[in-house]
Amino acid sequence: MNVYDAQRMADLLAPEGYADTAQVEDADLVVLNTCHIRERAAEKIFSELGKLRALKAARAKAGRDTRIIVAGCVAQAEGGEIFRRQKAVDIVVGPQSYHRLPELLRRAETERGLVETDFPAEDKFDFLVAPTPQQIRKRGVSAFVTVQEGCDKFCSFCVVPYTRGAESSRPVGDILAEVAVLAAAGVREVTLLGQNVNAYHGADGAGGSASLAELCARIAEAPGIARVRYTTSHPGDMTADLIAAHRDQASLMPFLHLPVQSGSDRILAAMNRKHKSADYVDLVAEIRQARSDIALSSDFIVGFPGESEQDFEATLDLIERIGFASAFSFKYSPRPGTPGADLKDQVEESVKSARLSRLQALLERQRQAFNRGMVGRTVDVLFEKPGRHAGQIAGKSPYLQAVQVDGETDRIGEILPVQIVAAGANSLFGRLTPGHAARGAPI
Ligand code: SAH
Ligand code: SF4
């Protein structure tokens, strides 16, 4: 979602005369779009700001102004405190108020220390600016669209409900309008974003509300859109109609990121997750019944306060039972203001590290096995960009695996069948099936 927000900020600033630069030394304006989910992410901002302060001073000597903005969830959580730690910052703006950036930049001509971290009454989406077709093409054929934001679940480890605010869904019509602009510029795949995306219930324009499954079906009707994905889902909101959509909607890709966090019921209860390990197993069985080839992914936290060796083993057991195609895993990071941070029995860092290594080794084995299982199969690949070497192009399988083939860059944007011949550490390698290898070539 931070990638999406950063793109929308760039869209908003383009009419103000700003354009992207690849060299930070050339930037008149630097926006750090920040993440507060774990301590390390938040701390990185301050080391980055130290470097930017030196850059700002060097540019000032050459008579050039530099504005530094801290946006995103660190901005939301720390507010004016950021100026205390780093005076070179000009503006602090939270994730729900970045539509005010043009106005803030104008005010910054005369005012110092501007902070905008209210959850405003107006909806930022009503004030954003559509990207130009050139900008969309530069970003590629696969695009993100935020459809839902915020969260009311209050898992005891998580800052999201405090930084992104209460859960809200964008109206269907607004989303379809945004997708139409993307599709007209060549986008073929849309990934719908939300902290809790399967809780989506946007106004349908007829006095009712649409579910995520209904939204996915409407989006797939946009000319040119061939693939729809969504992330991130909560197990508690995996409704029957969404599961059925994985069976019935061909454009809905067979990949599901469904974080479980832990396999121990005791820890899940302490995390306020409101699902048990067995609920997750049952849910996955139901999803696989609807779409047997679905690739599953999850997030895991190790070392939540009070996690015993036995609790950790329960997580490993759950992973063995499910079999994941990919996953993200983290050491628990106490976040200020969340209930988890005040719990006694915080787990020692060395124990967290050892558990994370074991967990990641298991997940990596499963990922490699999943990828090796593709060898010999033919899958549809959406080509997105030039490959690693000249004469190659790269794209994604339906299961979100990176795939490289020999091919011309004018195939970017096409979805073509690829026979997988090998599985590398991070990519699959394949060849275009004979009928597609070269335009006009005899089959
Ligand atoms: N809404 C999603 C996840 C949002 S945050 C869900 O409900 O699962 C993304 C991931 O960051 C989480 O799934 C969790 O695994 C991780 N995370 C969140 N807070 C964390 C913390 N305090 N320490 C370590 N990992 C955390
Ligand atoms: Fe955070 Fe996800 Fe839990 Fe919401 S559901 S509090 S975003 S982990």
Side-chain angles (χ1 to χ4, degrees), residues 35-39 148 150-151 153 155-160 194-198 231-235 257-262 271 273 275 298-302 304 328-336 338 340-341 352:
C35 177
H36 201 241
I37 200 84
R38 285 172 294 278
E39 194 179 355
Q148 178 277 336
C151 183
K153 297 255 189 301
C155 299
S156 62
F157 51 82
C158 184
V159 290
V160 167
Q195 271 82 32
N196 205 349
V197 73
N198 56 347
T231 199
T232 291
S233 296
H234 190 285
H257 184 60
L258 191 64
V260 64
Q261 314 295 356
S262 167
M271 286 175 163
R273 285 292 290 182
H275 56 80
S298 177
D299 294 339
F300 295 94
I301 296 177
V302 299
F304 186 80
F328 298 103
S329 46
F330 316 99
K331 289 191 261 190
Y332 172 67
S333 168
R335 307 309 292 127
T338 61
K352 286 186 198 172

Side-chain angles (χ1 to χ4, degrees), residues 164-205:
R164 288 268 172 184
E167 193 192 307
S168 75
S169 297
R170 294 179 68 191
V172 173
D174 291 10
I175 296 165
L176 294 179
E178 191 169 323
V179 170
V181 170
L182 296 170
V187 165
R188 307 294 319 276
E189 174 179 89
V190 177
T191 301
L192 308 178
L193 302 178
Q195 271 82 32
N196 205 349
V197 73
N198 56 347
Y200 177 83
H201 58 282
D204 65 2

Side-chain angles (χ1 to χ4, degrees), residues 18 31 35 58 60 95 103 121 161 195 210 230 305 310-311 313 316 320 349 368-369 380 428 437 441:
Y18 291 97
V31 185
C35 177
E103 175 206 325
Q195 271 82 32
Y230 60 91
Q310 209 184 346
D311 294 316
E313 299 275 345
L316 297 179
E320 296 277 13
E349 200 54 31
Q368 301 277 358
D380 282 344
L428 300 176

Side-chain angles (χ1 to χ4, degrees), residues 435 438-443:
R439 282 222 176 82
I443 296 175

